[in-house]
Amino acid sequence: MLSQLQELRKEEETLLRLKAALHDQLNRLKVEEMALQSMINSRGVDEMLSSQSAPEQSQDQMLVHVDNEASINKTALELSTRSHALEEEEEEEEEEESDS
């Protein structure tokens, strides 16, 4: 009974750390999103002021850049989450071994 309670507490701590890490990542992504929107808006204004030749091409390039950024961020988040989960599993295994 006591060991189950300790295990649940460890799991709770792990989940709280994971929640904090995901919250931090979410905040970073929100800031990055705002920066990208600002860049897009400023480029849009610059394009309107400059000559209107080939507007579709520059918009396509901008969309590809944003898509690439989103893909990179998603991959980084997945890798960050995986490495965090692996670290937690290793810590749990070490604690279990030390408890034995």
Side-chain angles (χ1 to χ4, degrees), residues 59-100:
Q59 287 179 353
D60 289 343
Q61 289 173 345
M62 195 180 329
L63 289 174
V64 168
H65 177 70
V66 171
D67 287 343
N68 288 342
E69 287 283 333
S71 176
I72 291 168
N73 290 335
K74 182 179 177 186
T75 303
L77 175 61
E78 289 171 354
L79 292 174
S80 173
T81 305
R82 285 183 196 158
S83 66
H84 186 71
L86 289 174
E87 288 173 5
E88 295 298 328
E89 287 178 15
E90 289 175 0
E91 287 178 13
E92 287 177 12
E93 288 175 6
E94 289 174 3
E95 288 175 2
E96 287 175 4
E97 288 176 5
S98 65
D99 288 344
S100 300

Side-chain angles (χ1 to χ4, degrees), residues 26-87:
L26 177 61
N27 286 339
R28 283 192 291 272
L29 290 173
K30 285 179 180 179
V31 169
E32 191 168 333
E33 178 186 17
M34 288 188 290
L36 289 171
Q37 287 176 344
S38 175
M39 287 173 48
I40 289 169
N41 290 338
S42 68
R43 286 182 183 172
V45 170
D46 291 345
E47 287 177 4
M48 287 173 33
L49 296 175
S50 66
S51 67
Q52 300 257 338
S53 64
E56 292 177 11
Q57 182 183 8
S58 62
Q59 287 179 353
D60 289 343
Q61 289 173 345
M62 195 180 329
L63 289 174
V64 168
H65 177 70
V66 171
D67 287 343
N68 288 342
E69 287 283 333
S71 176
I72 291 168
N73 290 335
K74 182 179 177 186
T75 303
L77 175 61
E78 289 171 354
L79 292 174
S80 173
T81 305
R82 285 183 196 158
S83 66
H84 186 71
L86 289 174
E87 288 173 5

